[in-house]
Amino acid sequence: MIGDVELRLKAKAEIDRLLNAPDGPIAAEMLRIGARIERDAKRACPVDTGRLRASITHKVERDDQGVSVRIGTGVTYAPWVELGTSRTPAQPFLRPALANEVGRRRG
């Protein structure tokens, strides 16, 4: 058609690199998203000793499903802070940080 432009990637390897390569543009965007969510989670994290807040990290990973970013903490008590217990109220910090990012993307 007149005035149309088409870009077609025929090489499966090139498409795979764009979508899934650890150094590709999708991975770079996932890294930026992870950094924003980590920052928001640290801002929302309740602080007693600071250990939980300091432990929040993000990491870009690749598996057979593609590229993903994992944001979290290895501190064993983190789920009880995030979700609460029968004795203590929840103090969510990861879920609100994720919700903030979803809101940014929709708005």
Side-chain angles (χ1 to χ4, degrees):
M1 296 185 155
I2 298 173
D4 287 352
V5 175
E6 181 177 302
L7 172 64
R8 185 179 301 238
L9 296 172
K10 293 183 178 182
K12 183 176 179 341
E14 181 63 15
I15 294 169
D16 184 59
R17 187 193 70 72
L18 286 171
L19 295 176
N20 300 318
D23 61 344
I26 303 298
E29 180 62 14
M30 295 299 278
L31 189 62
R32 285 189 288 275
I33 291 168
R36 284 193 302 265
I37 296 171
E38 177 185 330
R39 181 196 66 219
D40 289 351
K42 285 182 174 183
R43 286 180 179 160
C45 184
V47 177
D48 186 8
T49 66
R51 179 176 176 227
L52 178 58
R53 181 176 57 191
S55 72
I56 301 168
T57 61
H58 71 282
K59 179 181 179 183
V60 174
E61 300 175 340
R62 183 180 192 276
D63 60 20
D64 60 343
Q65 300 293 313
V67 177
S68 62
V69 62
R70 181 179 300 269
I71 303 99
T73 172
V75 173
T76 57
Y77 58 85
W80 294 300
V81 175
E82 177 79 17
L83 303 172
T85 69
S86 62
R87 296 180 186 173
T88 60
Q91 299 177 73
F93 56 98
L94 286 171
R95 291 175 297 154
L98 178 59
N100 286 343
E101 183 62 28
V102 170
R104 281 186 199 108
R105 299 194 130 335
R106 287 185 180 161

